[in-house]
Amino acid sequence: MATLDARGNPVGTDRASARDALESATWRLMAFYDTPLADLDAAIEADPQWCLPHAVKAGFLLSLTEPSQMAAAQAHLDTAQALAEAGVPPRERAHLEALQLVSQGRWGAACRLWDLLLVEHPRDALALQWAQLWDFYRGDAAALRARPARALPDWDEDDPLYPHVLALWAFGLEECHRHDEAEEAGRRALALDARAPWAVHAVAHVMEMQGRFDDGAAWLRQHQPAWAEGNGFAAHLWWHAALFRLEGLDTAGSLRVLDGHLSGDALQIGLQRVDAASLLWRLHLLGADVTARAAALSDDWCGAGAHEPGHYAFNDLHALMALLCAGEVGRAEHQLARCAERAMAGDDARRDNHLMAREVGLPLARGLLAFAKGDCDGAADQLYAARSQAWRLGGSHAQRDVFDLTALVACVHGGRKSLGRALLNERTLARPMSPLTRHWSDALGASCSHGAVR
């Protein structure tokens, strides 16, 4: 009889200590409290012949979207593959195949494999977590909602990972604009386990999309003791806190969050630097002087070789924002050229990122560059033309909103007033008239009346 884990999934080890260590690592993957690496090392030590802990190590490193981690991730995959030659359960082999596809840049194919795996093993938390991440990186909102929905009825509410799976569903509901259901699911997850930051995150997104900036700020403060310390998700939730301040036009408060939680040593990986760059750009659009802060970020990120253009278009666009906020137009143009070169490479055609870069990332990047050069009409035209496909970059609605904001500001400062009114109408109907939206409404009205923004 095959050995089973805590959820009845077949595993390739009969050593309880190895299974327990992997269970702890899986919780950390879903809850973001510390990294899973120490637990995975313990699982490997308990059973050196078990392939799955090596595969999970690779999956964790790949999920960081860091080019510098690719070699280490591949080494762990190679080790797992060698161990699997002795025979492993089909479930573990499927995980290996999916992660190999991820390492090759074939993210959609990997998610399809995890989908098939979950049909047979709906309580496979690793498959749910990883598929959610790479759906997020590809902007597949429908899958973010549907996959957890297919699995949840097979889970027991007493399972310690159940609240985290419920939180995955809550976020998918939000990205599909089912806001009331998303908020209810997120709150239910937190009622089951207060240490479920993805649920805090899902509800924060609901409040962001509905323009409930005061509610959002209070929500994050309420749960701050659980997420602000020792949690890998903290930087992103601080970003949300700063966005709620910006929606209320509290630029000073947003800058305090930036300086206290989204700068310097607080930024360890590209996903955290993305949030810092996004916040800097939004402040820049409002006229705040963030040049020195942006220069520090771009030097740390782009100047030190931590960023490799062309690995992930979403990250590339945010690195470009940091350079442009710093006034480094020449360096931004050089980075854009490197992204274009890699996106057009024939041997990379099968990679999902290169397709999204060619068809979405590069047009948006050219729009940002046009804006930085003062070509507001060109920026508005390019950003508006690309916006209907922007979801393919990955990220959330809230993250991609930066492109719509830039298009709106370009309309304010340029000649595309009718387009600006259309974008403003859309924004106003989606959420109540917040101080930030009123600011741009007033600016656009002044520009239309007097020919220049006052």
Side-chain angles (χ1 to χ4, degrees):
M1 180 180 293
T3 304
L4 304 178
D5 68 9
R7 275 160 216 95
N9 299 304
V11 292
T13 183
D14 59 2
R15 300 186 184 180
S17 57
R19 295 196 301 274
D20 290 346
L22 185 65
E23 176 70 12
S24 180
T26 303
W27 176 80
R28 294 193 191 282
L29 282 171
M30 302 190 81
F32 299 91
Y33 289 98
D34 298 323
T35 76
L37 297 176
D39 290 317
L40 294 171
D41 286 339
I44 291 168
E45 183 178 359
D47 187 348
Q49 301 306 309
W50 189 20
C51 77
L52 190 57
H54 290 282
V56 176
K57 261 195 170 183
F60 170 71
L61 295 175
L62 290 168
S63 74
L64 301 177
T65 70
E66 288 285 299
S68 61
Q69 297 295 333
M70 291 295 292
Q74 191 59 54
H76 287 298
L77 280 178
D78 291 344
T79 299
Q81 193 67 49
L83 292 171
E85 295 302 322
V88 296
R91 167 183 171 255
E92 294 189 0
R93 190 168 297 282
H95 275 305
L96 267 176
E97 291 175 8
L99 291 169
Q100 290 284 12
L101 289 169
V102 169
S103 74
Q104 296 165 12
R106 299 169 66 185
W107 299 350
C111 288
R112 288 189 290 275
L113 267 186
W114 278 314
D115 271 344
L116 292 173
L117 178 58
L118 284 162
V119 169
E120 298 300 324
H121 303 287
R123 287 162 56 87
D124 190 325
L126 290 172
L128 284 167
Q129 178 70 10
W130 280 332
Q132 171 105 166
L133 288 178
W134 273 286
D135 278 338
F136 176 72
Y137 295 150
R138 297 183 303 111
D140 190 344
L144 288 173
R145 178 199 59 80
R147 187 182 299 103
R150 289 194 295 270
L152 266 169
D154 288 296
W155 282 69
D156 185 339
E157 280 199 18
D158 293 332
D159 190 313
L161 294 186
Y162 179 84
H164 303 285
V165 179
L166 189 58
L168 297 181
W169 184 50
F171 181 70
L173 286 166
E174 180 278 323
E175 287 298 292
C176 289
H177 303 290
R178 291 167 61 171
H179 295 143
D180 291 345
E181 295 168 88
E183 183 166 351
E184 180 184 2
R187 289 180 180 274
R188 185 153 62 96
L190 288 163
L192 294 168
D193 185 354
R195 300 182 77 199
W198 197 262
V200 176
H201 172 242
V203 176
H205 268 272
V206 170
M207 294 173 175
E208 165 68 22
M209 296 307 295
Q210 294 179 331
R212 295 160 56 192
F213 60 96
D214 283 334
D215 287 349
W219 171 258
L220 291 178
R221 283 195 302 271
Q222 175 189 345
H223 294 281
Q224 187 172 321
W227 60 258
E229 298 294 336
N231 191 268
F233 217 56
H236 187 65
L237 290 173
W238 281 119
W239 176 79
H240 276 282
L243 253 58
F244 289 132
R245 285 167 171 78
L246 267 191
E247 199 69 36
L249 275 187
D250 179 8
T251 55
S254 184
L255 282 167
R256 285 194 299 272
V257 174
L258 176 73
D259 292 338
H261 305 285
L262 288 167
S263 62
D265 292 341
L267 305 178
Q268 298 294 317
I269 60 174
L271 293 174
Q272 295 167 336
R273 295 181 177 106
V274 159
D275 287 338
S278 172
L279 183 54
L280 285 165
W281 185 260
R282 291 163 192 254
L283 286 159
H284 171 66
L285 293 177
L286 282 166
D289 183 3
V290 294
T291 306
R293 292 175 175 90
L297 173 61
S298 58
D299 286 346
D300 176 58
W301 193 5
C302 305
H307 179 66
E308 179 187 320
H311 182 71
Y312 180 29
F314 186 81
N315 292 4
D316 289 337
L317 282 162
H318 286 81
L320 192 75
M321 289 178 203
L323 289 167
L324 293 175
C325 279
E328 297 278 4
V329 173
R331 287 175 65 193
E333 289 178 322
H334 177 67
Q335 175 176 288
L336 180 55
R338 291 179 63 192
C339 291
E341 180 181 9
R342 186 161 183 194
M344 302 300 177
D347 59 345
D348 283 332
R350 65 182 179 173
R351 296 175 183 263
D352 291 358
N353 175 67
H354 297 288
L355 182 61
M356 76 170 71
R358 287 195 300 273
E359 298 182 359
V360 189
L362 292 175
L364 287 172
R366 294 184 184 108
L368 295 176
L369 192 60
F371 181 82
K373 289 181 171 183
D375 179 9
C376 289
D377 290 350
D381 292 345
Q382 291 187 77
L383 292 169
Y384 184 70
R387 75 190 294 259
S388 67
Q389 294 296 306
W391 62 270
R392 294 170 56 195
L393 285 172
S396 64
H397 295 301
Q399 287 176 307
R400 295 189 300 269
D401 186 50
V402 72
F403 303 112
D404 280 353
L405 274 173
T406 307
L408 174 59
V409 178
C411 293
V412 167
H413 292 289
R416 301 292 189 259
K417 305 307 179 189
S418 295
L419 176 58
R421 283 193 294 272
L423 291 171
L424 191 63
N425 288 342
E426 181 182 347
R427 190 173 199 84
T428 303
L429 288 176
R431 61 186 79 185
M433 183 70 86
S434 70
L436 180 64
T437 303
R438 188 170 298 282
H439 168 84
W440 292 121
S441 176
D442 291 346
L444 184 65
S447 178
C448 292
S449 300
H450 304 290
V453 179
R454 291 182 294 185

